[in-house]
Amino acid sequence: MLFRFTFLSGISDDMRAVGGRLEASARVAGTVGAPQIAGKLGWREGRLLLAGLGEYEGIDLALHGDTQQMVLDHLIAHSGEGSANLSGHAVRGSDGRQLTVDARADVTRFRLYTEGQPLGAISLRATAHGTVESNKIEIATKKIGRASCRERV
């Protein structure tokens, strides 16, 4: 399935512009009460313009999963001269209620905005490992290899 986002531009005061293509394929089985979904999702050539938060371009998302795991192959976005690249995966535990999560972030000169004005640019390289349950998130290990923030870029 291929779907274009442009019609969502201006749908709310906060979402000024949306662009790109959504690509998706899925297999659905099971029952309404216990669905089993497996597939993949992609957002290509994405763009977001959010009121007060700035513009994000070159968004590229690749996500796939099944009943046992979800994998974020990458989520890439550009803001100003900077970029962010996130990835990770979550695996369902044997009890079916807990997820074990690993995540990585590589962010370089990524602009942050507040009330429409540039707040600064952040650079960061980090990893995290933890668990997620319905009422609790626990991060067991985290590593920040590099972090910096420049004010008013």
Side-chain angles (χ1 to χ4, degrees):
M1 172 181 80
L2 179 64
F3 180 77
R4 296 206 178 269
F5 284 116
T6 49
F7 79 93
L8 293 173
S9 294
I11 198 166
S12 75
D13 290 340
D14 293 330
M15 191 180 304
R16 302 284 171 84
V18 181
R21 299 182 329 264
L22 175 69
E23 300 168 354
S25 67
R27 292 181 311 278
V28 180
T31 65
V32 173
Q36 297 176 358
I37 302 170
K40 61 183 179 176
L41 178 70
W43 184 9
R44 308 288 181 245
E45 301 169 8
R47 176 177 179 251
L48 274 177
L49 177 57
L50 302 173
L53 297 175
E55 182 172 22
Y56 305 95
E57 298 180 305
I59 299 170
D60 192 85
L61 167 72
L63 178 72
H64 72 274
D66 57 32
T67 58
Q68 296 304 309
Q69 68 175 351
M70 183 65 63
V71 179
L72 174 60
D73 296 304
H74 63 264
L75 171 56
I76 299 168
H78 300 274
S79 177
E81 296 175 3
S83 64
N85 187 341
L86 310 175
S87 62
H89 70 273
V91 178
R92 187 176 306 282
S94 59
D95 66 1
R97 294 190 312 252
Q98 185 181 66
L99 294 174
T100 300
V101 179
D102 286 291
R104 288 174 298 291
D106 190 2
V107 180
T108 305
R109 296 185 315 275
F110 196 77
R111 282 197 179 169
L112 302 175
Y113 294 85
T114 183
E115 298 179 7
Q117 299 300 313
L119 179 64
I122 187 169
S123 293
L124 170 72
R125 179 169 286 152
T127 60
H129 173 81
T131 58
V132 177
E133 294 183 45
S134 62
N135 62 350
K136 176 174 70 170
I137 297 174
E138 184 176 310
I139 300 175
T141 59
K142 55 199 167 292
K143 179 180 177 185
I144 299 175
R146 174 193 69 187
S148 65
C149 186
R150 287 189 347 225
E151 290 184 32
R152 301 285 178 199
V153 292

